[in-house]
Each structure stands twice: as C-alpha cells, then as structure tokens.
Amino acid sequence: MLDYDIRNGHTYMYDPYEPLFPFGYGLSYTTFEYSNFKINKTSITPNDMVSLQVDVQNTGNVDGDEVLQVYVKTPESPASLERPIKRLKGFQRVTIPAGQIKTVSIDIACEDLWFWDSEKDRITFDPGRYVFEIGASSRDIRGQVEATMSGTYVPVLKTVVAETDKVVLRPGDRVNTSVTAAMSDDSFYDIGKATVTYKSNNPSVATVDESGNVTATGVGTALIFAYVTSDCVDVSGYYPLKVMPYI
C-alpha cells in the first residue's frame, strides 16, 4: 500500500498487461468506424500546434455519441528515461446520426508533450518520433499518425502572482506589493528583466504607486493588479484588500 510508483503497472500509461476495462472503456447502442487519419505536419517543434483529423462513421441504426481519444507515445526515447507506454493528450465527444460520417479535428499543443527533467527542475522534450494513436479507448486504437520532434522549446511568460503580507488595513496604512512570475516551462522569471505596472480598481479605497507601494485611502474593498510585460507578452496577477474604519 505504500508503493506509489506509477511505473510499476499502476496506470494505463505504464502497465504492459491487458486490462479488463481499459482507460476510456465504454459501451454504446451503435458502432463506429474510423478512417482517413491525417496530421497537418510531420515535422514539429515544442512550440508548434498540431492538428489531427479522422473520419468517423456511425455504422449502426441509431444516433450515437463517440468519444475520440488521442494517445501519444515516443518509441525513440531511451529506455533509461522510463517514458510512458502512452499518454492521453486529447479527446473530443461527437454526436453522429445513424449512417452518417463526420470529420473530426483534434488540436494538440506540442508544448503539452513535455516530460519533467528532475535534474534541471523544468520541462523537457524528447527528440525523435511522436506517434499519435487515435481510438475509442487506450486499448481500442483505430489508427495512428506520426511526426518528428526537433528544435528547442522557447518558454513564454505564463503566470504572475501578486501578493502582500497584510490584506486587512486601516485608513492611512501602507503595504508593499510582492510580484513573482513563472514561465511556461515552470521556471521562475527574473522580474528585474520585466516591465511591471500596478493598478488599483478602486483608488478611493486604496492607491498604488509605480513601485507597488499601496496606501489605504478610504473604507471598503479594492483589488491591486500587477501587470508584467516580457517579450511583448502581458500577464497579470492581483490580490484583494479590505480597509476597515477605525472604531
């Protein structure tokens, strides 16, 4: 019970055995056939968006819903890295009338194909073949397409956290705004390299200067925003303040 290693056959991503009920298992009142598997590009980088297409036909006598699932595997990754057998990276539910065919598109951001690098404490991408399996469950794969990954991931500013050590104030109190930012590869961004601007949504309750210093000016509530700009990307964070009257 204390073994939490998911690589030891505890999940569909690593289990080499045939499951009784595979991930995505389900029954339907009708049947579906898949055909014409396509991918919009066969050479990809970590910053790309890839689009998969497949035709799905309802071959039964009643209308029905099908949940298409996309699993990704990296057969050229070194065995020493212990990469998953497959990973669910996209899905879409479609309603198809009896006898009809629908072309279904599923977009996948290549930046979501990362693996965690425990030595560098950030995400990484394995070069080589990426196989996109399309089917009705992790076992019921109907077809596949491939692309080759190369290039280096260029992270972008993703998350900004604004906070202060005291959020309940009295008129005249002052606090300072602390701002941290993280990139899309989960690394921290050097705020000193960014342009940071501040704004209060209710200056009659609290004002904030260009350095993030907040002054309580009245009674009520306010939100203090911090806007971080880096490489033409703007991301914001905020925190609430409540200013109480003196009794």
Side-chain angles (χ1 to χ4, degrees):
M1 290 181 65
L2 298 179
D3 182 4
Y4 292 99
D5 184 5
I6 64 173
R7 291 175 175 82
N8 192 25
H10 293 166
T11 169
Y12 78 92
M13 291 195 297
Y14 290 93
D15 198 338
Y17 302 104
E18 190 81 2
L20 181 61
F21 299 103
F23 189 82
Y25 174 85
L27 298 176
S28 174
Y29 289 103
T30 185
T31 55
F32 299 92
E33 289 186 0
Y34 293 51
S35 62
N36 297 326
F37 299 89
K38 298 178 182 178
I39 186 170
N40 69 329
K41 56 179 68 176
T42 56
S43 296
I44 57 176
T45 71
N47 291 92
D48 283 339
M49 179 74 73
V50 66
S51 181
L52 313 178
Q53 276 193 352
V54 59
D55 290 342
V56 183
Q57 181 178 12
N58 184 340
T59 54
N61 298 318
V62 296
D63 300 348
D65 284 11
E66 178 72 325
V67 179
L68 287 79
Q69 300 164 40
V70 178
Y71 295 87
V72 181
K73 58 185 180 180
T74 55
E76 294 181 353
S77 296
S80 60
L81 295 178
E82 297 183 298
R83 299 310 192 201
I85 298 171
K86 61 179 67 179
R87 300 180 290 165
L88 178 67
K89 284 298 177 180
F91 63 91
Q92 184 168 327
R93 187 185 192 96
V94 293
T95 301
I96 306 177
Q100 293 192 17
I101 299 175
K102 277 192 177 181
T103 299
V104 182
S105 296
I106 300 178
D107 295 333
I108 297 176
C110 293
E111 67 177 0
D112 289 336
L113 303 178
W114 57 269
F115 296 99
W116 181 253
D117 188 329
S118 58
E119 293 183 359
K120 297 181 180 179
D121 285 334
R122 64 177 58 190
I123 63 175
T124 187
F125 296 83
D126 291 355
R129 291 169 54 218
Y130 280 65
V131 179
F132 299 85
E133 298 181 331
I134 305 172
S137 76
S138 63
R139 182 175 62 190
D140 187 7
I141 301 300
R142 307 297 183 88
Q144 66 181 43
V145 292
E146 296 186 11
T148 301
M149 174 80 75
S150 63
T152 303
Y153 180 56
V154 180
V156 296
L157 184 64
K158 183 179 181 179
T159 305
V160 170
V161 176
E163 56 188 349
T164 188
D165 58 357
K166 187 178 181 182
V167 295
V168 179
L169 309 176
R170 302 290 183 179
D173 286 352
R174 295 186 178 186
V175 293
N176 183 256
T177 303
S178 173
V179 179
T180 55
M183 305 296 287
S184 54
D185 64 352
D186 283 353
S187 63
F188 284 104
Y189 182 72
D190 185 355
I191 286 295
K193 297 180 180 180
T195 299
V196 184
T197 57
Y198 302 91
K199 180 181 178 181
S200 169
N201 78 324
N202 194 349
S204 65
V205 172
T207 61
V208 58
D209 65 19
E210 60 184 14
S211 298
N213 298 309
V214 176
T215 302
T217 56
V219 174
T221 59
L223 298 178
I224 304 300
F225 290 84
Y227 300 87
V228 178
T229 302
S230 175
D231 296 327
C232 299
V233 176
D234 296 315
V235 182
S236 65
Y238 69 90
Y239 62 89
L241 284 178
K242 183 174 182 63
V243 182
M244 303 286 291
Y246 285 106
I247 299 176

